[in-house]
Amino acid sequence: MAAGELDIAFCDGRPATAGLRHRPLMRVPIVALVGTGHPWAKLPRVDFADLAGRPCIMFAREQSPAMYDAIMAAADRRGIRLTIAHQVDDLSATAIVAATQPVVAFVSAHRGAHMAAGGLGSVAVPFAEPAPAVELHAVWREDDDPSTVRAFLTCLDSAFVRPHT
């Protein structure tokens, strides 16, 4: 975006870069990604506190600061410390490790459903409320042509129900 190659983008959480404007579009729950043989695989949902003592796969905060912070904040609220067994920054590799080892990974609900449907041997298990989540934002440069951005945002308004702020 800074180079002017993109007019608008979607990102998890509010952008931290100066010169960008944003609009929240929707709340995206974070789910547990586990292998089909994992004890959680057949459960309809799990409590986030049940992660205490379980080995987890985590990604570097730089990959998605908003998601990382939401996961860590959920652990803090429940008074648990996550046991990070692996740090994996590639989503496909995360799915493979989750499918082949008794660990819990974290992905957005959308990606979790896609990965589970992909036949890699993983299952997306929702967390019970209050589940960790991130907001999906539309982001654009402040200096963009306002009519172009406005037209795109109008299309988004018909596709998404924006959260009240």
Side-chain angles (χ1 to χ4, degrees):
M1 292 208 63
E5 295 175 13
L6 294 174
D7 295 320
I8 200 157
F10 300 108
C11 72
D12 291 335
R14 295 173 180 244
T17 305
L20 296 178
R21 299 197 56 201
H22 63 93
R23 176 187 287 182
L25 299 173
M26 62 187 289
R27 180 182 181 271
V28 179
I30 297 168
V31 300
L33 187 72
V34 298
T36 55
H38 192 279
W40 290 2
K42 302 257 189 271
L43 298 177
R45 66 188 36 78
V46 294
D47 191 292
F48 198 87
D50 292 342
L51 286 165
R54 291 195 178 268
C56 298
I57 301 171
M58 197 60 175
F59 49 89
R61 185 176 183 277
E62 295 77 28
Q63 291 290 329
S64 177
M67 183 178 277
Y68 184 97
D69 292 349
I71 293 165
M72 293 304 182
D76 286 345
R77 281 191 303 276
R78 285 153 183 91
I80 65 169
R81 181 182 166 105
L82 296 179
T83 303
I84 310 300
H86 303 281
Q87 181 175 319
V88 181
D89 293 336
D90 176 86
L91 202 49
S92 295
T94 296
I96 292 167
V97 173
T100 60
Q101 297 185 24
V103 296
V104 177
F106 304 96
V107 295
S108 70
H110 299 110
R111 286 190 175 145
H114 177 72
M115 294 168 121
L120 292 176
S122 58
V123 177
V125 182
F127 289 109
E129 291 298 331
V134 293
E135 276 191 343
L136 179 67
H137 285 249
V139 181
W140 64 95
R141 289 184 314 279
E142 284 181 346
D143 61 351
D144 270 350
D145 174 14
S147 63
T148 304
V149 171
R150 217 175 15 255
F152 189 79
L153 293 175
T154 298
C155 292
L156 290 178
D157 285 341
S158 66
F160 291 98
V161 176
R162 290 191 299 147
H164 297 287
T165 55

